[in-house]
Amino acid sequence: MIPQELDLCVTDACNMKCRYCYAAGKNAGKKALTFGEMKKAVVIYLKRTLTDGQAVDKISISGGEPLTHWEEVSKFVKWLGKNLPGQIKAEIFTNGTLLCLKKAQLIVKNGLKLRLSIDGEKESHDGARIPFGGESSFDIVMKNLKSMPAPLRKELEAVPLISAENVHLAFKNMKFLLDMGFKMIRPSFVLNEVWPKTKFAVLKRELEKVSFLLRKDEKARKRLMKISLKNLSKGLEEFARSNEISIATDGYFYPSSLISASVAAMGNSFRRKYRIGSLERGIETGKLFFLRKEAWREIKKCGADLYLGCLLCMYYSVQVAGGDLKSLLLSAEKIAEITEKACLLYTSPSPRDLSTSRMPSSA
Ligand code: SF4
C-alpha cells in the first residue's frame, strides 16, 4: 500500500509567519533538499508505486516557501517537466511574495500547476498572512501579479483558506478571487481549529450567497472548485491509500506533510516514531500501513462521519500540537454538513470522493 501523492517539503525556510501555519517560525534550522535529493525522492516513490500497482495522482512541491529555495527548485521544476509521465500531475504552492514573471513562466512552461495561497481581499489576506518585515503581503502579491501579462496570470490557481476568523467575509473573498480572473479557485477550510458554534450560522449565510452566485453565473461555476466531501465508508485500505506521503528536509519520508514540515514535530523521538523510510533505504510500506491503521482506529473512535479536507492533517495536528481529536472532527463534520447543504461539494463523478485537500503549510 502506497498513497497516491508525494509531497516534497523542499525547504524549512519561509519569509512569512501565517497565523494558521504549522510550519511558521521554523526558520531556525533552515534546512532544504538539494535538487539531487528531490529527484531521488520522486524516483524512489514512483518505483514503489509501480511495484505496488498503485496509480499516482500528483507530485507536490511545498515547504516552507519553495521560492526561497529557487536555485534548486527551478532545476527540479525543469526536471519534472521533462521526466514526469504525462498522466501524473505536478503542482507547486507559493505565498506569491517572491513570485515574478520569470519564475511563473518557468513553472507554467514545464506543466506544473502554480497554486497561490491567497485568501481573498486585503483585509482577510493580511489578517492571517504576515511577512516577517511587517508590510502588507497582499500589496506585495498584487504588485507581483501585475508584473505578469494577463494570459500568464490566468494560468494561476488561487488557494484561499476559510477560517473561523475570516468566515464572515467568505462570499466577498470568493467573489474577489473570481473577479481577479484566476484559472481556478480552490477553497478549503482551516480544520485544525475547533470552530466556535456561533460561526456555523455565519458559514451557512456566506455559503448560501456563494451558492446563489454560482447558480446565476455559469463561468464562475466552472472556476470555483467544489470542495470534496469524504466519509470512511470505503474502509481502511482506501483510507490508507488516500492522501499523501511526504519527504522532509532531513531526507526521511513521513506519513503526512504535517509531520515533515511541522515546527512542533522537530523532536528526535517523535520523528523516529513516524519515519517511514529515507533516501537511503527507500519507503517502508509496512510501517506506513501500521501508522495509517493506528490513525484510522483513533479517528473511527470519534464517531464523526463526514469530512472535508485532509483527515490525516487533523489527526496529526493533534499528535503534534495536542488538543482534542473528537472536538476537532465533530467541528469539521458540522462544516461539512453546512457545505453540503449549500451544494458546494463535488457531485460527480463520485459523490463522496476521498481526494485530498491539505491544510497549509506551504505557502
Ligand atoms: S502558510 Fe506558507 S507562507 Fe505562510 S508561514 Fe506557512 S509556509 Fe510560510
Side-chain angles (χ1 to χ4, degrees), residues 14-18 20-21 23-24 63-65 95 129 360-363:
C14 184
N15 55 346
M16 290 178 64
K17 42 182 178 173
C18 301
Y20 34 57
C21 176
E65 166 54 48
N95 62 34
R129 299 186 171 272
S361 101
S362 189

Side-chain angles (χ1 to χ4, degrees), residues 299-311:
I299 288 166
K300 288 286 276 185
K301 268 192 226 162
C302 295
D305 185 42
L306 301 178
Y307 307 95
L308 305 168
C310 172
L311 255 185

Side-chain angles (χ1 to χ4, degrees), residues 153-166:
R153 233 172 23 229
K154 285 188 179 161
E155 289 298 316
L156 270 62
E157 300 188 354
V159 189
L161 279 167
I162 302 173
S163 66
E165 206 167 320
N166 70 16

